[in-house]
Amino acid sequence: MKWIHNNRMNGIYLLFAAFLLLIPFVYDSRSLLILLTQIFIFSIFAMSYDLLLGYTGIVSFGHAMFFGIGAYSIGIFMKRFEATTVNFVLAIITTIVLTAIISFFVGLLTLRLKSHFYAMLTLSLSGLFLVLAEKWRTLTYGNDGFTFRVPEFLKDRTDFYLICLLSMVLLFFILKRFTNSPLGRVLQAIRENEQRTESLGYQVLHYKIIASIFSGVIAGLAGILYSISLRFVNTSVFTMDITLDALLMTIIGGVGTLVGAIIGAGLIEFAHHWLTALAKEHWIFERWIIFFGIIYILAVMFFPLGIVGTIKNIKWRRTKQTSVVKKEKELAR
């Protein structure tokens, strides 16, 4: 039954991906294309954060450092060297290597700490990267940032939209397979009860570091796509706001669901776009961040487990009630 359910859900996901694939060819809207592209990019980033928070139980306030490394890697390569496909691939490899190494050492240094101690230390490490980007002006151009060129195949908005969509779908299924693997099950056991998992003989720290590396690399790839979408990069990619966006997307969509991260990214990016557009129509919406906060509060009130988590909980309760009724009928016979 579980295998049938999984195949059915995968079919629904692929059907929805096919629908998104057709949008540029049936609806010609530049603004919608840009909005959906941003949603795909932040969906990848939110899924990488969900791997830490939702599947391993690690709260990080410094996840933006990996996002920023990806953004600056592609920017520096495309600025300093010719904007060719080879240099683009080299930038991706550099991002993967850098994020893997840094996340390994960050994990080794910080994951021995618990709860808010770990969160605050990751925040301070992310702050170090922000200061480095501000001060190393010969490489990063400081707060002003810099523009850069991109390879030919990334210049067309439709092509870039399709690349971001396919990247999101591919990484979603990779993460889905990862979380359903034996390693992923151990990570979920750590989330539920770290002491008991350790008592069973698992090296908890090693598993946490693996999750940190995997999450950091995917966040770096999201940073690459984000920087390419703007063709500009500055120190804002290292700020706390980026990490908070991922946190809010994960919580609103549903912690530990992956698809919830995508839904959360879509809702937050759409709400941001919609509210900023309304600011041009009426002065009251100029303080759109207040309305954004109200939307978040309402989402938490009505969906305490996130949208996907709440729906799953309702379905579980109904299934449980149905099974209880069936047992009562069988006993009555």
Side-chain angles (χ1 to χ4, degrees):
M1 286 295 293
K2 188 176 180 181
W3 180 80
I4 295 170
H5 174 73
N6 287 338
N7 279 348
R8 185 173 63 184
M9 290 307 298
N10 288 340
I12 292 170
Y13 297 147
L14 289 173
L15 190 64
F16 187 66
F19 169 74
L20 292 172
L21 196 68
L22 292 173
I23 285 178
F25 305 104
V26 296
Y27 188 72
D28 186 20
S29 172
R30 179 180 171 84
S31 59
L32 178 64
L33 214 62
I34 293 171
L35 174 62
L36 288 175
T37 301
Q38 290 295 309
I39 289 171
F40 300 153
I41 293 168
F42 276 99
S43 293
I44 295 170
F45 185 50
M47 284 191 292
S48 75
Y49 192 82
D50 195 27
L51 181 62
L52 286 181
L53 177 63
Y55 287 92
T56 319
I58 299 171
V59 180
S60 172
F61 287 159
H63 207 54
M65 75 176 99
F66 306 114
F67 187 83
I69 287 168
Y72 268 102
S73 293
I74 188 68
I76 291 168
F77 263 87
M78 296 296 104
K79 179 76 172 179
R80 301 233 162 190
F81 307 105
E82 193 177 348
T84 61
T85 305
V86 174
N87 286 331
F88 174 70
V89 173
L90 286 174
I92 293 175
I93 294 170
T94 302
T95 297
I96 292 171
V97 172
L98 277 176
T99 50
I101 292 171
I102 291 169
S103 58
F104 171 77
F105 283 108
V106 168
L108 202 62
L109 291 169
T110 62
L111 284 170
R112 298 176 191 275
L113 301 173
K114 307 295 182 185
S115 63
H116 59 282
F117 298 107
Y118 168 80
M120 296 311 294
L121 188 53
T122 55
L123 176 61
S124 63
L125 289 171
S126 180
L128 287 176
F129 278 89
L130 176 60
V131 172
L132 183 65
E134 287 175 349
K135 300 302 180 183
W136 198 353
R137 297 188 63 88
T138 54
L139 186 68
T140 64
Y141 296 87
N143 288 326
D144 297 330
F146 58 91
T147 58
F148 57 88
R149 296 166 296 166
V150 295
E152 287 296 326
F153 71 94
L154 294 172
K155 288 183 178 179
D156 184 74
R157 283 288 174 186
T158 302
D159 291 343
F160 185 63
Y161 169 93
L162 296 175
I163 289 168
C164 291
L165 173 59
L166 293 174
S167 298
M168 182 191 73
V169 172
L170 181 63
L171 288 170
F172 170 77
F173 282 107
I174 289 172
L175 283 171
K176 197 167 183 288
R177 180 70 188 91
F178 179 80
T179 53
N180 288 327
S181 68
L183 193 153
R185 298 298 183 190
V186 175
L187 294 178
Q188 291 172 60
I190 293 169
R191 176 195 65 193
E192 296 300 325
N193 195 320
E194 185 174 330
Q195 288 75 23
R196 183 173 294 177
T197 306
E198 194 167 15
S199 70
L200 292 172
Y202 292 102
Q203 295 289 334
V204 169
L205 180 62
H206 296 174
Y207 284 94
K208 281 185 172 182
I209 290 173
I210 291 169
S212 176
I213 292 170
F214 209 70
S215 176
V217 168
I218 293 173
L221 296 175
I224 287 176
L225 294 173
Y226 177 75
S227 190
I228 291 171
S229 70
L230 301 176
R231 298 179 195 175
F232 171 80
V233 61
N234 68 355
T235 54
S236 65
V237 293
F238 282 118
T239 58
M240 180 66 178
D241 292 346
I242 298 292
T243 302
L244 286 179
D245 281 343
L247 178 62
L248 293 179
M249 289 168 186
T250 305
I251 292 173
I252 288 175
V255 175
T257 60
L258 287 182
V259 70
I262 297 173
I263 293 171
L267 286 174
I268 286 182
E269 286 299 308
F270 178 76
H272 179 268
H273 176 78
W274 179 56
L275 289 171
T276 49
L278 285 176
K280 299 175 184 177
E281 303 294 331
H282 199 281
W283 63 269
I284 198 170
F285 291 104
E286 289 179 3
R287 301 292 182 267
W288 61 268
I289 193 70
I290 298 172
F291 294 96
F292 188 75
I294 292 170
I295 291 171
Y296 175 65
I297 292 168
L298 291 173
V300 172
M301 284 175 61
F302 290 102
F303 300 96
L305 299 175
I307 294 170
V308 177
T310 303
I311 292 170
K312 282 186 174 181
N313 191 43
I314 292 169
K315 286 176 69 177
W316 179 79
R317 285 181 179 179
R318 286 180 179 176
T319 304
K320 190 177 180 181
Q321 287 175 355
T322 305
S323 63
V324 169
V325 170
K326 282 182 180 179
K327 284 180 181 180
E328 288 177 351
K329 285 181 179 179
E330 287 174 1
L331 290 170
R333 288 175 186 175

mmCIF file of all heavy atoms in Angstrom, residues 72 76 79-80 132-142 146:
data_model
loop_
_atom_site.group_PDB
_atom_site.id
_atom_site.type_symbol
_atom_site.label_atom_id
_atom_site.label_comp_id
_atom_site.label_asym_id
_atom_site.label_seq_id
_atom_site.Cartn_x
_atom_site.Cartn_y
_atom_site.Cartn_z
ATOM 1 N N TYR A 72 28.275 34.298 -4.706
ATOM 2 C CA TYR A 72 29.544 34.972 -4.998
ATOM 3 C C TYR A 72 30.443 34.137 -5.900
ATOM 4 O O TYR A 72 31.208 34.690 -6.699
ATOM 5 C CB TYR A 72 30.270 35.322 -3.694
ATOM 6 C CG TYR A 72 29.936 36.703 -3.199
ATOM 7 C CD1 TYR A 72 29.036 36.887 -2.153
ATOM 8 C CD2 TYR A 72 30.504 37.834 -3.787
ATOM 9 C CE1 TYR A 72 28.721 38.156 -1.698
ATOM 10 C CE2 TYR A 72 30.195 39.104 -3.343
ATOM 11 C CZ TYR A 72 29.293 39.264 -2.299
ATOM 12 O OH TYR A 72 28.980 40.529 -1.865
ATOM 13 N N ILE A 76 31.849 35.925 -9.157
ATOM 14 C CA ILE A 76 33.287 36.186 -9.320
ATOM 15 C C ILE A 76 33.831 35.507 -10.570
ATOM 16 O O ILE A 76 34.614 36.085 -11.319
ATOM 17 C CB ILE A 76 34.054 35.733 -8.052
ATOM 18 C CG1 ILE A 76 33.706 36.653 -6.876
ATOM 19 C CG2 ILE A 76 35.555 35.717 -8.293
ATOM 20 C CD1 ILE A 76 34.156 36.153 -5.524
ATOM 21 N N LYS A 79 32.596 37.395 -13.579
ATOM 22 C CA LYS A 79 33.124 38.759 -13.640
ATOM 23 C C LYS A 79 34.594 38.759 -14.045
ATOM 24 O O LYS A 79 35.019 39.574 -14.872
ATOM 25 C CB LYS A 79 32.966 39.422 -12.260
ATOM 26 C CG LYS A 79 33.503 40.845 -12.159
ATOM 27 C CD LYS A 79 32.570 41.827 -12.817
ATOM 28 C CE LYS A 79 33.016 43.268 -12.543
ATOM 29 N NZ LYS A 79 32.132 44.249 -13.190
ATOM 30 N N ARG A 80 35.361 37.844 -13.482
ATOM 31 C CA ARG A 80 36.810 37.844 -13.681
ATOM 32 C C ARG A 80 37.242 37.089 -14.934
ATOM 33 O O ARG A 80 38.321 37.344 -15.450
ATOM 34 C CB ARG A 80 37.490 37.234 -12.455
ATOM 35 C CG ARG A 80 37.178 37.969 -11.163
ATOM 36 C CD ARG A 80 38.442 38.344 -10.457
ATOM 37 N NE ARG A 80 38.211 39.380 -9.462
ATOM 38 C CZ ARG A 80 39.178 40.009 -8.844
ATOM 39 N NH1 ARG A 80 40.432 39.741 -9.157
ATOM 40 N NH2 ARG A 80 38.924 40.943 -7.945
ATOM 41 N N LEU A 132 33.476 39.574 5.853
ATOM 42 C CA LEU A 132 34.501 39.283 4.845
ATOM 43 C C LEU A 132 34.090 39.827 3.481
ATOM 44 O O LEU A 132 34.910 40.431 2.766
ATOM 45 C CB LEU A 132 34.719 37.772 4.759
ATOM 46 C CG LEU A 132 35.816 37.287 3.806
ATOM 47 C CD1 LEU A 132 37.185 37.748 4.264
ATOM 48 C CD2 LEU A 132 35.782 35.766 3.680
ATOM 49 N N ALA A 133 32.815 39.647 3.131
ATOM 50 C CA ALA A 133 32.318 40.148 1.844
ATOM 51 C C ALA A 133 32.311 41.675 1.807
ATOM 52 O O ALA A 133 32.528 42.280 0.747
ATOM 53 C CB ALA A 133 30.909 39.611 1.586
ATOM 54 N N GLU A 134 32.084 42.304 2.956
ATOM 55 C CA GLU A 134 32.073 43.767 3.013
ATOM 56 C C GLU A 134 33.483 44.352 2.914
ATOM 57 O O GLU A 134 33.691 45.390 2.280
ATOM 58 C CB GLU A 134 31.419 44.236 4.320
ATOM 59 C CG GLU A 134 29.911 44.060 4.344
ATOM 60 C CD GLU A 134 29.319 44.428 5.703
ATOM 61 O OE1 GLU A 134 30.112 44.617 6.664
ATOM 62 O OE2 GLU A 134 28.088 44.524 5.805
ATOM 63 N N LYS A 135 34.447 43.680 3.523
ATOM 64 C CA LYS A 135 35.798 44.239 3.630
ATOM 65 C C LYS A 135 36.723 43.854 2.472
ATOM 66 O O LYS A 135 37.638 44.599 2.140
ATOM 67 C CB LYS A 135 36.437 43.796 4.952
ATOM 68 C CG LYS A 135 35.673 44.224 6.197
ATOM 69 C CD LYS A 135 35.514 45.735 6.273
ATOM 70 C CE LYS A 135 34.756 46.141 7.529
ATOM 71 N NZ LYS A 135 34.522 47.617 7.572
ATOM 72 N N TRP A 136 36.504 42.706 1.869
ATOM 73 C CA TRP A 136 37.391 42.252 0.791
ATOM 74 C C TRP A 136 36.934 42.870 -0.534
ATOM 75 O O TRP A 136 36.485 42.202 -1.436
ATOM 76 C CB TRP A 136 37.376 40.723 0.714
ATOM 77 C CG TRP A 136 38.536 40.158 -0.038
ATOM 78 C CD1 TRP A 136 39.480 40.834 -0.745
ATOM 79 C CD2 TRP A 136 38.859 38.763 -0.167
ATOM 80 N NE1 TRP A 136 40.377 39.977 -1.304
ATOM 81 C CE2 TRP A 136 40.027 38.692 -0.979
ATOM 82 C CE3 TRP A 136 38.296 37.589 0.304
ATOM 83 C CZ2 TRP A 136 40.605 37.482 -1.317
ATOM 84 C CZ3 TRP A 136 38.876 36.382 -0.025
ATOM 85 C CH2 TRP A 136 40.023 36.331 -0.826
ATOM 86 N N ARG A 137 37.066 44.179 -0.626
ATOM 87 C CA ARG A 137 36.502 44.941 -1.742
ATOM 88 C C ARG A 137 37.167 44.620 -3.081
ATOM 89 O O ARG A 137 36.539 44.744 -4.126
ATOM 90 C CB ARG A 137 36.599 46.442 -1.459
ATOM 91 C CG ARG A 137 35.787 46.899 -0.251
ATOM 92 C CD ARG A 137 35.780 48.415 -0.138
ATOM 93 N NE ARG A 137 35.122 49.030 -1.290
ATOM 94 C CZ ARG A 137 33.819 49.258 -1.353
ATOM 95 N NH1 ARG A 137 33.024 48.918 -0.353
ATOM 96 N NH2 ARG A 137 33.306 49.833 -2.420
ATOM 97 N N THR A 138 38.429 44.228 -3.058
ATOM 98 C CA THR A 138 39.111 43.913 -4.327
ATOM 99 C C THR A 138 38.485 42.698 -5.018
ATOM 100 O O THR A 138 38.574 42.555 -6.234
ATOM 101 C CB THR A 138 40.603 43.623 -4.075
ATOM 102 O OG1 THR A 138 40.722 42.594 -3.079
ATOM 103 C CG2 THR A 138 41.321 44.883 -3.603
ATOM 104 N N LEU A 139 37.834 41.841 -4.231
ATOM 105 C CA LEU A 139 37.197 40.643 -4.795
ATOM 106 C C LEU A 139 35.683 40.766 -4.867
ATOM 107 O O LEU A 139 35.072 40.377 -5.865
ATOM 108 C CB LEU A 139 37.564 39.415 -3.943
ATOM 109 C CG LEU A 139 37.088 38.061 -4.471
ATOM 110 C CD1 LEU A 139 37.836 37.697 -5.760
ATOM 111 C CD2 LEU A 139 37.296 36.962 -3.420
ATOM 112 N N THR A 140 35.072 41.346 -3.824
ATOM 113 C CA THR A 140 33.597 41.360 -3.721
ATOM 114 C C THR A 140 32.977 42.733 -4.011
ATOM 115 O O THR A 140 31.756 42.828 -4.111
ATOM 116 C CB THR A 140 33.171 40.935 -2.309
ATOM 117 O OG1 THR A 140 33.648 41.909 -1.368
ATOM 118 C CG2 THR A 140 33.734 39.573 -1.951
ATOM 119 N N TYR A 141 33.802 43.785 -4.099
ATOM 120 C CA TYR A 141 33.336 45.164 -4.316
ATOM 121 C C TYR A 141 32.471 45.672 -3.167
ATOM 122 O O TYR A 141 31.692 46.607 -3.319
ATOM 123 C CB TYR A 141 32.570 45.278 -5.642
ATOM 124 C CG TYR A 141 33.425 44.996 -6.854
ATOM 125 C CD1 TYR A 141 33.586 43.699 -7.321
ATOM 126 C CD2 TYR A 141 34.086 46.023 -7.521
ATOM 127 C CE1 TYR A 141 34.375 43.419 -8.423
ATOM 128 C CE2 TYR A 141 34.880 45.762 -8.630
ATOM 129 C CZ TYR A 141 35.024 44.452 -9.071
ATOM 130 O OH TYR A 141 35.813 44.184 -10.174
ATOM 131 N N GLY A 142 32.580 45.034 -2.004
ATOM 132 C CA GLY A 142 31.908 45.507 -0.794
ATOM 133 C C GLY A 142 30.393 45.504 -0.882
ATOM 134 O O GLY A 142 29.790 44.688 -1.579
ATOM 135 N N PHE A 146 28.355 43.911 -7.507
ATOM 136 C CA PHE A 146 28.785 44.051 -8.896
ATOM 137 C C PHE A 146 27.858 43.249 -9.812
ATOM 138 O O PHE A 146 27.225 42.283 -9.398
ATOM 139 C CB PHE A 146 30.236 43.583 -9.073
ATOM 140 C CG PHE A 146 30.475 42.152 -8.662
ATOM 141 C CD1 PHE A 146 30.361 41.102 -9.578
ATOM 142 C CD2 PHE A 146 30.827 41.832 -7.347
ATOM 143 C CE1 PHE A 146 30.589 39.786 -9.205
ATOM 144 C CE2 PHE A 146 31.054 40.519 -6.960
ATOM 145 C CZ PHE A 146 30.936 39.489 -7.893
#
